């Protein structure tokens, strides 16, 4: 986005190759709008699946909630590697220089970047995007540390659509155990399996098909399938930085606002905020002023989304067993009172309600 609006951009990538470790990823309306604007979505569509419905089901198969995914609620699911590859191609086509094996170890407010080999580079703007375990955020006084939440997620990418023929995202809820299933392109299915971190039997790999079947009987055949499939385990983590910028240095993405994936907004908020940053830099000649305007304008959306993602984790994954009967009434309220969904899904509107949501002046370059 910076290159398309006139900047000379260099990406320093720590690893020897550009690659993603993960399974599938949900892109919601706020990130879809950005990818459309910059001409990346068309190539992604062929590698993902645009969903039509999200359905929440209990262990016996009864529908708790159903949502139509259209307009500002639209969702596309695809393999993470596909997203990384398409963004890389778009960046290179825009003139971005990508240097691999170049680990950054320090940044400073004056725009200096220090690499692992001891070399230093100066820039008008330095952006750190090095994930929840960021080393760079401490370079300008940010002492935020990742906070582990007591929830475990195992992710799978199945090489078929046997259990996801329709363009639906289905989520099955057992007692503090949850499974999500969604098609992720023509020949792949993204699956996530969530439980309490203390529920070691449910979180272990390979997955215990018999144990999970007792929690969600309707998926007995499915659990036999994923018991044989490779999986990537994670524990939910959150990061909240007191500030996202200082001088001519900024921090973005999970490094600034890592959140649990309960709302599918980790990537979405990052892409949306990156779009806001590019817009702010077109509206202000001074970089430090642009960074302050950017954070002031977009931060409230991110903070509210992060707070709701944490609340939803408690409701979906760590609800007290003796209050399990309350899940149906709560789900009913979210289904029948749109204002609740609107508050929880504030990020799906993107930046449309802010001055940074205006179309960029150089948008003719994006076609």
């Amino acid at each position: 986005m910076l290159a398309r609006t006139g900047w000379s951009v260099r990406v320093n990538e720590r690893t020897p190759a550009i690659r993603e470790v993960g399974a599938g990823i949900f892109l919601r309306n706020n990130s879809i709008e950005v990818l459309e604007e910059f001409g990346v979505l068309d190539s992604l569509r062929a590698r993902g699946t645009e969903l039509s419905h999200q359905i929440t089901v209990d262990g016996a198969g009864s529908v708790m909630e159903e949502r139509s995914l259209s307009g500002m609620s639209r969702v596309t699911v695809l393999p993470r590697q596909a997203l990384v590859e398409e963004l890389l191609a778009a960046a290179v086509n825009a003139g971005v220089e990508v240097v691999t094996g170049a680990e950054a170890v320090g940044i400073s407010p004056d725009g200096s970047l220090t690499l692992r080999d001891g070399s230093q580079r100066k820039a008008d703007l330095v952006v750190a995007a090095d994930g929840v375990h960021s080393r760079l955020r401490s370079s300008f006084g940010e002492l935020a540390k990742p906070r582990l939440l007591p929830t475990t997620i195992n992710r799978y990418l199945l090489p078929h659509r046997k259990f996801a023929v329709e363009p639906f995202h289905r989520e099955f809820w057992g007692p503090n155990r949850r499974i999500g299933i969604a098609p992720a392109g023509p020949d792949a299915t993204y699956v996530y399996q969530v439980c309490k971190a203390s529920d070691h039997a449910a979180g272990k790999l390979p997955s215990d098909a018999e144990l999970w079947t007792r929690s969600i009987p309707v998926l007995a055949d499915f659990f036999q399938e994923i018991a044989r499939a490779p999986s990537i385990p994670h524990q939910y983590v959150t990061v909240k930085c007191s500030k996202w910028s200082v001088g001519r240095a900024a921090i973005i993405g999970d490094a600034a606002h890592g959140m649990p994936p309960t709302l599918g907004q980790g990537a979405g908020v990052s892409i949306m905020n990156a779009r806001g940053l590019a817009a702010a830099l077109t509206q202000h000649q001074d970089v430090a002023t642009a960074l302050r305007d950017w954070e002031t304008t977009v931060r409230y959306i991110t903070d509210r989304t992060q707070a709701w993602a944490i609340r939803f984790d408690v409701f979906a994954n760590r609800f007290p067993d003796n209050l399990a009967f309350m899940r149906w009434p709560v789900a009913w309220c979210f289904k029948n009172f749109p204002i609740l969904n609107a508050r929880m899904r504030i990020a799906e509107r993107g930046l449309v309600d802010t001055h940074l949501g205006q179309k960029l002046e150089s948008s003719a370059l994006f076609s």
Side-chain angles (χ1 to χ4, degrees), residues 53-57 63 65-67 168-172:
H53 290 81
Q54 178 175 327
I55 304 170
T56 305
V57 182
V63 175
E65 182 191 16
E66 182 171 347
R67 295 176 64 230
F168 297 168
H169 170 207
R170 288 188 170 92
E171 217 174 54
F172 297 82

Side-chain angles (χ1 to χ4, degrees), residues 42 62 103 106 153 165 178-179 182 186 194 197 221 226 242 247 284 293 313 318 345 353 362-363:
D42 284 345
S62 298
E103 181 181 1
I153 182 169
V165 177
R178 191 162 55 99
I179 284 279
V194 187
D221 291 343
I226 64 170
S242 60
H284 300 277
D293 181 31
D313 171 40
R318 294 184 277 128
R345 305 180 193 280
D353 299 322
S362 54
S363 60

Side-chain angles (χ1 to χ4, degrees), residues 1 26 34 72 147 174 191-192 194 200 212 215 244 250 258 289 357:
M1 287 187 272
F26 285 81
V34 177
M72 287 192 175
R147 180 170 68 92
V191 177
Y192 55 87
V194 187
H200 302 295
W212 277 88
S215 292
W244 293 354
T289 301

